[in-house]
């Protein structure tokens, strides 16, 4: 039921966006649609695998990235997407924020990295770090974040969502501007349990 309800909401947002004349407002509807679709894909993954406790994250990210590119009408001849995803399984409570962060970062790259029909490449990577942590990164070779913008203090809703969800994951966020933009989130694969003294 959750999956179906989310898909209905996503469809409604899509229909509404087609009736909006203002380009900026239309983009806002698309971004909301992308967020809802990201959550729906997590539940889709659970339904397909019949495992309602954990999520196959590589499969989730493949579906999610394809959906975001389609949602924003990205030209595959102009913008190439590289996936580098290791086999990682996460509990639902971590998979949903992970999916939403991925959706936001891909959307940001598509909206800002390649202006004026510029061609480029986006890399989505997921890696196991040691035995305890997971690293998720989205990198592009686009124009980069303007020098005067501080990503850690930007009032962009997308980046604000990323920062909030990173805290929810008890993770760390880093941004690199070398030859484009790379955003990396590193977080514990499972909740760390504090050891009591004695």
């Amino acid at each position: 039921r959750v999956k179906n309800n989310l898909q209905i909401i996503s469809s409604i947002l899509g229909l509404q966006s087609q009736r909006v004349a203002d380009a900026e407002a239309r983009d806002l509807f698309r971004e909301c649609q992308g967020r809802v679709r990201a959550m729906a894909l997590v539940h889709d993954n659970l339904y397909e695998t019949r495992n309602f406790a954990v999520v196959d994250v590589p499969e989730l990210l493949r579906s999610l990235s394809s959906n975001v590119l389609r949602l924003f009408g990205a030209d595959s001849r102009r913008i190439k997407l590289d996936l580098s995803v290791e086999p990682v399984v996460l509990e639902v409570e971590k998979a949903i924020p992970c999916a939403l962060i991925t959706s936001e970062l891909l959307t940001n790259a598509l909206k800002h990295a390649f202006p004026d029909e510029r061609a480029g490449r986006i890399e989505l990577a997921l890696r196991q770090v040691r035995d305890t942590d997971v690293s998720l990164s989205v990198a592009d070779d686009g124009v980069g974040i303007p020098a005067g913008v501080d990503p850690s203090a930007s009032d962009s809703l997308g980046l604000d969502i990323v920062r909030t969800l990173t805290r929810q994951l008890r993770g760390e966020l880093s941004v690199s501007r070398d030859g484009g933009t790379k955003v990396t989130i590193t977080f514990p694969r499972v909740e760390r349990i504090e050891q009591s003294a004695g």
Side-chain angles (χ1 to χ4, degrees), residues 73-174:
D75 183 349
S76 60
R77 294 167 299 181
R78 186 172 63 88
I79 299 176
K80 303 296 183 185
L81 176 67
D82 294 330
L83 290 175
S84 177
V85 289
E86 295 180 359
V88 173
V89 172
L90 293 176
E91 295 176 347
V92 179
E93 291 76 13
K94 289 190 176 284
I96 289 176
C98 187
L100 286 167
I101 287 171
T102 303
S103 179
E104 293 300 329
L105 294 178
L106 286 174
T107 297
N108 259 7
L110 290 171
K111 284 180 63 180
H112 303 297
F114 310 109
D116 305 319
E117 298 300 307
R118 177 185 175 126
R121 188 174 297 274
I122 300 172
E123 181 191 56
L124 170 58
L126 179 78
R127 296 186 176 86
Q128 184 79 37
V129 182
R130 300 178 294 278
D131 292 330
T132 56
D133 295 346
V134 172
S135 169
L136 169 71
S137 67
V138 174
D140 66 68
D141 60 358
V143 296
I145 299 173
V149 175
D150 179 2
S152 65
S154 170
D155 60 358
S156 153
L157 176 60
L159 288 176
D160 196 32
I161 289 173
V162 169
R163 288 192 295 266
T164 299
L165 292 171
T166 301
R167 286 195 296 271
Q168 183 178 323
L169 287 169
R170 302 182 188 281
E172 296 178 358
L173 183 151
S174 65

Side-chain angles (χ1 to χ4, degrees), residues 49-70:
T49 61
R50 299 291 179 179
N51 184 340
F52 299 107
V54 295
V55 174
D56 175 7
V57 183
E59 183 57 36
L60 169 65
L61 295 186
R62 289 186 190 98
S63 299
L64 179 62
S65 57
S66 175
N67 182 74
V68 172
L69 290 173
R70 187 168 55 252

Side-chain angles (χ1 to χ4, degrees), residues 40-56:
L41 285 170
V42 174
H43 290 86
D44 209 26
N45 184 286
L46 294 173
Y47 179 79
E48 292 293 330
T49 61
R50 299 291 179 179
N51 184 340
F52 299 107
V54 295
V55 174
D56 175 7

Side-chain angles (χ1 to χ4, degrees), residues 170 188 190-196:
R170 302 182 188 281
V190 295
E191 289 298 326
R192 295 190 176 105
I193 301 174
E194 299 296 333
Q195 299 293 326
S196 56

Side-chain angles (χ1 to χ4, degrees), residues 2-37:
V2 171
K3 180 191 77 166
N4 290 339
N5 288 340
L6 288 170
Q7 287 174 339
I8 289 169
I9 294 169
S10 176
S11 297
I12 291 170
L13 288 169
L15 290 170
Q16 188 67 59
S17 70
Q18 294 172 17
R19 295 173 176 269
V20 176
D22 181 72
E24 186 176 352
R26 193 162 52 245
D27 278 349
L28 291 174
F29 272 104
R30 282 186 189 148
E31 288 170 32
C32 286
Q33 187 181 7
R35 290 165 190 142
V36 173
R37 185 68 183 134

